[in-house]
Structure formats: structure tokens, C-alpha cells
Amino acid sequence: MSDNKYLSIVEHYEDCLARHGDTAAGVDWPNERDAQTRYQVMLGVMRGQREAASLLDFGCGAAHLYQHALREGLDHIDYAGLDVSEKFVALSREKFPDRPFYCLDVLRETDQLPEFDYIVMNGVFTEKRALSQEEMFAYFKEMITKVFEKSRRGIAFNVMSKCVDWERDDLFHLSTDLLLEFLTKHVSRHVVIRNDYGLYEYTTYVYKGAHRE
């Protein structure tokens, strides 16, 4: 992948924000209802934990995940956001001045990011735009590896499913076989795949260790 080609994805989302403002469409989700479903599924990585825990919303956009958490009364979550887009970070800081928001490219500035209990990456890998499948998969693997190192307990991310009637060229459809081969060999064997929430995608939780009731 040519240097910084992945930033074309960021430019696409900034264009969505300019056209649609602080809405679900402003972060390129088709509708608000499905967006709320995604937020709920992302927070499921915490497995219903009610003890205080830090969570980084990686690719936070307009911090809609935090708005969802506030509505749900999840005040045990110590929220922080990160986005490589200065426009989205400025918007999020304006909305929630008491919350930390990082504006950095983790592929280039990994050392500037502290550790968190959980890191969620909602919509970071669903679109590939002009990237080829191979370029996007390489970008995905590098990002997951770096982000997992910054989590103390686990991460969550979503990608588009290959179990669909047709695949869109601008979306990142990833087979679970390829995903599990990569994760179990290079990241962690403690993996949960969720394909139970009715959208044409799936969410994966990757943990540092085994879960015991």
C-alpha cells in the first residue's frame, strides 16, 4: 500500500460530516437505529462489566458512542476518544470538553497513545474506498496488531460480512476464515465473533485472556 493511502478513508468521512453534520449520516451510517445497535454491540466487549473501566473509542468520529453510553447510564465507563481527523476531534471536544480526545495517527505515533482496558473500533474497517482488498487487509492487520498492544483486556471491531447477496467494491468484506487465521496466529486465540444482530457485518471481540464465569 502506498504511503498514507488509507487517509483517503478519513477524507471520505470528513466529506460526510460536511454534507450531513452531526448525524448518523455524518459518519456514513445509513440510519440512526442501526447505528445504535452497533454502539450496543461494541460495548458488549465489556461482557456486562459494571466495575469502573477505561475505554477508548478508536475512530470516534462525533463521539456518538459516548452519547449512547450516557443515555444508557453507563457511568462506570471512563471514556476517551481518538480520531486521525482534526475536524472530528474538534467537534467531539466541543461537545464533551471534560473528556480526553486524541488526534493522532496510531500507525505513526503509537508511543503517544496510553493503554486502556478496552478499545473499540466501530466503522474503522467497514469501508475501504479506493484501497484494494489486499491493501485494506494489510492496513487492517497492522492496525489491529498495534491497537491490541494498547489494550489491557480486549478490543472490538466490525467488518463487512462475506455472507451477503452481493459485495460492494467500496466496502471491506472479510471472511471469518482469514480473520481467525490472522488473529489466532498473530494476536490472540481468545476470540468471539458476533453475527447475531441483524446487519450485513459482524463484530469481533479479541481478549488478552480466557473468560471464566
Side-chain angles (χ1 to χ4, degrees):
M1 179 170 52
S2 60
D3 197 28
N4 286 355
K5 190 173 180 181
Y6 57 89
L7 293 179
S8 65
I9 301 173
V10 180
E11 293 169 358
H12 165 72
Y13 283 107
E14 289 183 339
D15 181 60
C16 291
L17 177 65
R19 287 186 286 119
H20 302 291
D22 186 7
T23 65
V27 289
D28 209 17
W29 291 132
N31 60 73
E32 182 64 29
R33 184 183 65 179
D34 290 351
Q36 294 299 320
T37 296
R38 291 182 177 96
Y39 304 143
Q40 182 177 354
V41 172
M42 283 289 147
L43 294 176
V45 70
M46 301 179 70
R47 290 171 162 154
Q49 174 183 332
R50 301 300 299 189
E51 298 83 12
S54 61
L55 181 143
L56 177 66
D57 184 7
F58 189 105
C60 63
H64 294 158
L65 177 70
Y66 186 50
Q67 291 175 224
H68 174 86
L70 290 176
R71 282 195 298 268
E72 295 297 314
L74 304 177
D75 54 6
H76 62 289
I77 296 177
D78 183 11
Y79 175 93
L82 178 149
D83 209 292
V84 71
S85 166
E86 293 181 0
K87 295 178 181 178
F88 276 112
V89 169
L91 173 60
S92 296
R93 285 172 174 164
E94 181 180 353
K95 291 167 65 175
F96 303 108
D98 60 328
R99 292 285 85 197
F101 290 93
Y102 301 86
C103 187
L104 58 87
D105 183 345
V106 74
L107 295 184
R108 295 175 171 272
E109 305 165 282
T110 310
D111 293 343
Q112 296 186 30
L113 185 65
E115 291 185 351
F116 297 85
D117 293 324
Y118 298 97
I119 302 178
V120 300
M121 310 173 78
N122 182 30
V124 175
F125 305 117
T126 49
E127 301 193 34
K128 62 185 180 69
R129 308 307 299 171
L131 274 66
S132 69
Q133 186 73 9
E134 293 74 20
E135 289 172 332
M136 187 66 190
F137 192 37
Y139 167 64
F140 166 83
K141 290 189 288 185
E142 185 176 4
M143 285 282 281
I144 290 296
T145 301
K146 288 184 178 293
V147 170
F148 191 69
E149 292 174 353
K150 294 294 185 175
S151 72
R152 287 186 284 262
R153 300 181 185 177
I155 67 172
F157 59 86
N158 50 356
V159 295
M160 302 306 296
S161 173
K162 290 190 74 70
C163 299
V164 293
D165 295 331
W166 68 88
E167 296 184 16
R168 279 175 44 180
D169 291 339
D170 59 330
L171 301 184
F172 183 48
H173 298 267
L174 181 61
S175 77
T176 54
D177 286 347
L178 278 177
L179 174 67
L180 286 172
E181 181 181 17
F182 162 65
L183 291 176
T184 56
K185 288 183 178 179
H186 302 288
V187 184
S188 172
R189 298 189 61 83
H190 307 293
V191 177
V192 175
I193 293 179
R194 287 197 56 178
N195 193 36
D196 63 339
Y197 54 100
L199 303 180
Y200 296 106
E201 63 179 62
Y202 62 91
T203 293
T204 304
Y205 305 151
V206 189
Y207 295 100
K208 294 287 184 171
H211 175 63
R212 292 179 174 83
E213 299 293 343

